[in-house]
């Protein structure tokens, strides 16, 4: 009994120390040191906190399972070790029904729980704004850069404005001038819908601090809807091995106030970067599965 009391009293300061340590964690630490958060806890998008919570809570559950498993393994190794003077095998058990029920039911509950929360969050993240979007943008991947097209009035692509990027150009020391990278400009606190397309091979559109990435296919458009919630500059890159200069396929993201966004779009219009570039510069002349298309000269010859 005295030993149990001592254990209880020993647990009190340990619990207090743990509570104080957790209370002193910054938002970055509470979100598992993932990017996308600043010291005041503001997330980069309306979805960033959801992704981080799913990731961190999943690891907490997995760590708890690991600790229990490692503890039971250590306990079994010590409690059932061969004692001095013992010979032969220990008593063999054919089965233990409570234990078998435990290691069948508990993993099933864990899998079902993780599936539920993953499916719930994925459904929310994958919900597209549709006609409710405030901003319509098309991001087009190509070897090895990105083009960005901003839809005009009433989402009219013939009145769209655009920028066309080139791959990163490192100097002799391997340094890259970020100002030369393609730049995606987004208005803060607005519903953004991005259509994701590819000109050649499969790419992956990844804005690191947004904690989300999505593939860009040939002939099958993807899309992503979110709300940028913090003004700032972010890094983006292709996250799908797409050829020799895949590592140079990078871009910038600037989240700005609405008036600055409007001024940027207008500056592109004044430069003459107007029109639909969805298909004009595609490398492939045919979509997968449709067969090759003849050139104009071949068609005239026929």
């Amino acid at each position: 009994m005295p030993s149990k009391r001592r254990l209880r009293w020993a647990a009190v300061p340990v619990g207090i120390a743990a509570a104080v340590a957790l209370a002193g964690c910054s938002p970055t630490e509470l979100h598992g040191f993932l990017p996308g958060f600043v010291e005041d806890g503001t997330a980069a998008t309306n979805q960033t906190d959801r992704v981080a919570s799913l990731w961190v809570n999943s690891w907490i559950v997995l760590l708890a399972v690991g600790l229990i498993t490692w503890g039971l393994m250590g306990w079994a190794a010590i409690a059932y070790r061969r004692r001095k003077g013992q010979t032969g095998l220990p008593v063999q058990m054919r089965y233990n029904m409570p234990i078998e029920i435990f290691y069948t039911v508990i993993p099933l509950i864990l899998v079902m729980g993780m599936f539920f929360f993953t499916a719930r969050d994925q459904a929310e993240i994958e919900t597209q704004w549709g006609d409710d979007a405030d901003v319509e943008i098309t991001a087009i991947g190509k070897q090895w850069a990105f083009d960005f097209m901003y839809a005009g009035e009433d989402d009219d692509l013939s009145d769209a404005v655009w920028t066309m990027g080139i791959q990163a150009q490192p100097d002799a020391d391997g340094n890259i001038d970020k100002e030369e990278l393609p730049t995606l400009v987004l208005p803060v606190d607005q519903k953004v819908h991005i259509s994701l397309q590819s000109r050649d091979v499969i790419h992956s559109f990844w804005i690191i601090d947004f904690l989300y990435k999505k593939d860009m296919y040939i002939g099958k458009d993807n899309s992503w809807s979110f709300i940028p919630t913090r003004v700032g500059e972010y890094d983006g890159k292709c996250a799908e091995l797409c050829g020799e200069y895949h590592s140079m396929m990078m871009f910038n993201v600037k989240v700005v106030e609405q008036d600055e966004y409007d001024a940027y779009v207008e500056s592109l219009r004044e430069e003459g970067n107007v029109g639909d570039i969805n298909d004009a510069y595609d490398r492939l002349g045919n979509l997968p599965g449709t067969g090759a298309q003849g050139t104009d000269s071949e068609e005239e010859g026929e």
Side-chain angles (χ1 to χ4, degrees):
M1 291 299 291
S3 61
K4 291 183 177 180
R5 290 196 185 96
R6 283 196 293 269
L7 288 174
R8 291 195 189 101
W9 282 109
V12 172
V14 172
I16 294 175
V20 171
L22 291 174
C25 289
S26 68
T28 301
E29 293 165 339
L30 290 174
H31 288 97
F33 297 95
L34 291 172
F37 299 90
V38 291
E39 288 303 318
D40 64 358
T42 304
T45 74
N46 64 314
Q47 299 171 350
T48 306
D49 190 65
R50 183 184 300 274
V51 176
S53 296
L54 179 64
W55 175 261
V56 172
N57 291 330
S58 296
W59 273 108
I60 290 173
V61 172
L62 293 173
L63 182 58
V65 172
L67 290 173
I68 293 172
T69 303
W70 300 325
L72 290 174
M73 291 171 61
W75 171 76
I78 295 173
Y80 296 103
R81 71 188 187 282
R82 177 179 292 176
R83 265 63 172 187
K84 185 177 181 180
Q86 290 182 334
T87 58
L89 294 173
V91 177
Q92 302 297 296
M93 299 178 61
R94 294 179 58 187
Y95 62 87
N96 185 297
M97 188 59 68
I99 292 180
E100 293 191 16
I101 293 174
F102 175 81
Y103 67 59
T104 300
V105 173
I106 297 303
L108 182 62
I109 293 173
L110 290 173
V111 170
M112 292 177 63
M114 299 184 81
F115 175 82
F116 168 78
F117 290 110
T118 301
R120 181 200 64 183
D121 291 346
Q122 180 176 326
E124 184 67 26
I125 293 169
E126 288 296 328
T127 298
Q128 305 301 321
W129 300 127
D131 296 334
D132 295 332
D134 298 316
V135 177
E136 285 281 354
I137 298 174
T138 301
I140 307 173
K142 61 186 181 183
Q143 291 177 316
W144 287 273
F146 292 91
D147 299 338
F148 300 115
M149 185 168 61
Y150 306 83
E153 294 294 330
D154 300 323
D155 301 332
D156 182 10
L157 292 183
S158 64
D159 191 41
V161 297
W162 46 264
T163 61
M164 302 186 73
I166 61 172
Q167 69 195 57
Q169 304 292 318
D171 59 21
D173 297 323
N175 300 314
I176 294 173
D177 184 359
K178 293 186 62 176
E179 295 298 324
E180 296 181 356
L181 296 177
T183 299
L184 172 64
V185 179
L186 303 172
V188 70
D189 295 329
Q190 298 295 314
K191 292 182 177 180
V192 175
H193 178 262
I194 301 182
S195 297
L196 303 172
Q197 303 177 9
S198 172
R199 294 201 189 281
D200 35 52
V201 300
I202 298 176
H203 300 284
S204 185
F205 188 77
W206 182 26
I207 303 176
I208 298 170
D209 279 23
F210 290 11
L211 302 184
Y212 197 68
K213 60 184 177 181
K214 207 160 190 181
D215 284 347
M216 313 170 88
Y217 300 103
I218 309 167
K220 181 184 182 300
D221 296 347
N222 253 339
S223 58
W224 179 17
S225 293
F226 60 93
I227 300 175
T229 54
R230 191 178 76 234
V231 171
E233 297 188 12
Y234 308 92
D235 294 329
K237 60 177 65 178
C238 176
E240 183 78 24
L241 182 59
C242 57
E244 184 176 3
Y245 295 102
H246 160 69
S247 61
M248 297 293 102
M249 193 169 172
M250 300 183 288
F251 63 99
N252 300 319
V253 179
K254 291 185 178 180
V255 179
V256 299
E257 298 292 347
Q258 183 66 50
D259 56 349
E260 187 175 347
Y261 172 80
D262 293 337
Y264 174 74
V265 171
E266 188 59 33
S267 69
L268 295 179
R269 193 176 305 281
E270 292 174 355
E271 292 173 7
N273 298 351
V274 182
D276 183 358
I277 60 170
N278 275 349
D279 302 319
Y281 297 94
D282 279 357
R283 174 188 298 180
L284 298 180
N286 61 292
L287 296 178
T290 62
Q293 297 176 350
T295 63
D296 292 341
S297 59
E298 291 174 341
E299 292 174 356
E300 291 174 1
E302 293 176 355

